[in-house]
CSV table of all heavy atoms in Angstrom, one decimal:
chain,number,residue,atom,x,y,z
A,15,GLU,N,15.7,-2.7,25.9
A,15,GLU,CA,14.6,-3.7,25.6
A,15,GLU,C,13.6,-3.1,24.7
A,15,GLU,O,13.1,-2.0,24.9
A,15,GLU,CB,14.0,-4.1,26.9
A,15,GLU,CG,14.9,-4.9,27.8
A,15,GLU,CD,14.2,-5.3,29.1
A,15,GLU,OE1,13.0,-5.6,29.0
A,15,GLU,OE2,14.9,-5.5,30.1
A,16,LEU,N,13.3,-3.8,23.6
A,16,LEU,CA,12.3,-3.3,22.7
A,16,LEU,C,11.0,-3.9,23.1
A,16,LEU,O,10.9,-5.1,23.3
A,16,LEU,CB,12.7,-3.7,21.3
A,16,LEU,CG,14.0,-3.1,20.8
A,16,LEU,CD1,14.3,-3.6,19.4
A,16,LEU,CD2,13.9,-1.6,20.7
A,17,GLU,N,9.9,-3.1,23.1
A,17,GLU,CA,8.6,-3.6,23.4
A,17,GLU,C,7.9,-3.9,22.1
A,17,GLU,O,7.8,-3.1,21.2
A,17,GLU,CB,7.8,-2.5,24.2
A,17,GLU,CG,6.6,-3.0,24.9
A,17,GLU,CD,6.0,-1.9,25.7
A,17,GLU,OE1,6.7,-1.4,26.6
A,17,GLU,OE2,4.8,-1.7,25.5
A,18,LEU,N,7.5,-5.2,22.0
A,18,LEU,CA,6.9,-5.6,20.8
A,18,LEU,C,5.4,-5.3,20.9
A,18,LEU,O,4.8,-5.5,21.9
A,18,LEU,CB,7.1,-7.1,20.5
A,18,LEU,CG,8.6,-7.5,20.3
A,18,LEU,CD1,8.7,-9.0,20.1
A,18,LEU,CD2,9.1,-6.8,19.1
A,19,SER,N,4.8,-4.9,19.8
A,19,SER,CA,3.4,-4.6,19.8
A,19,SER,C,2.6,-5.9,19.9
A,19,SER,O,3.0,-7.0,19.4
A,19,SER,CB,3.1,-4.0,18.4
A,19,SER,OG,1.7,-3.9,18.3
A,20,GLN,N,1.5,-5.9,20.6
A,20,GLN,CA,0.7,-7.0,20.8
A,20,GLN,C,-0.1,-7.4,19.5
A,20,GLN,O,-0.5,-8.5,19.3
A,20,GLN,CB,-0.4,-6.7,21.9
A,20,GLN,CG,0.2,-6.6,23.3
A,20,GLN,CD,0.9,-7.8,23.8
A,20,GLN,OE1,0.5,-8.9,23.5
A,20,GLN,NE2,2.0,-7.7,24.5
A,21,THR,N,-0.2,-6.4,18.6
A,21,THR,CA,-0.9,-6.7,17.3
A,21,THR,C,0.1,-6.7,16.2
A,21,THR,O,0.6,-5.6,15.8
A,21,THR,CB,-2.0,-5.6,17.1
A,21,THR,OG1,-1.4,-4.4,17.1
A,21,THR,CG2,-3.1,-5.7,18.1
A,22,SER,N,0.4,-7.8,15.7
A,22,SER,CA,1.3,-7.9,14.5
A,22,SER,C,0.5,-8.1,13.2
A,22,SER,O,1.1,-8.3,12.2
A,22,SER,CB,2.3,-9.1,14.7
A,22,SER,OG,1.5,-10.3,14.8
A,23,ASN,N,-0.8,-7.9,13.3
A,23,ASN,CA,-1.7,-8.0,12.2
A,23,ASN,C,-1.5,-6.9,11.2
A,23,ASN,O,-1.4,-5.7,11.6
A,23,ASN,CB,-3.1,-8.1,12.8
A,23,ASN,CG,-4.1,-8.4,11.7
A,23,ASN,OD1,-3.9,-8.1,10.5
A,23,ASN,ND2,-5.2,-8.9,12.2
A,24,ALA,N,-1.5,-7.2,9.9
A,24,ALA,CA,-1.4,-6.1,8.9
A,24,ALA,C,-2.6,-5.1,9.0
A,24,ALA,O,-2.4,-3.9,8.7
A,24,ALA,CB,-1.4,-6.7,7.5
A,25,ASP,N,-3.7,-5.6,9.4
A,25,ASP,CA,-4.9,-4.7,9.6
A,25,ASP,C,-4.8,-3.7,10.7
A,25,ASP,O,-5.5,-2.7,10.7
A,25,ASP,CB,-6.2,-5.5,9.8
A,25,ASP,CG,-6.6,-6.3,8.5
A,25,ASP,OD1,-6.3,-5.8,7.4
A,25,ASP,OD2,-7.2,-7.4,8.7
A,26,SER,N,-3.9,-3.9,11.6
A,26,SER,CA,-3.8,-3.1,12.8
A,26,SER,C,-3.5,-1.6,12.4
A,26,SER,O,-3.9,-0.7,13.1
A,26,SER,CB,-2.8,-3.6,13.8
A,26,SER,OG,-1.5,-3.6,13.2
A,27,GLU,N,-2.7,-1.4,11.4
A,27,GLU,CA,-2.4,-0.1,10.9
A,27,GLU,C,-3.6,0.7,10.5
A,27,GLU,O,-3.7,1.9,10.5
A,27,GLU,CB,-1.4,-0.2,9.8
A,27,GLU,CG,-0.9,1.2,9.3
A,27,GLU,CD,0.1,1.1,8.2
A,27,GLU,OE1,0.6,0.0,7.9
A,27,GLU,OE2,0.3,2.1,7.5
Side-chain angles (χ1 to χ4, degrees):
E15 291 185 30
L16 298 176
E17 196 172 306
L18 297 176
S19 170
Q20 294 295 328
T21 57
S22 61
N23 186 336
D25 289 328
S26 65
E27 182 179 347

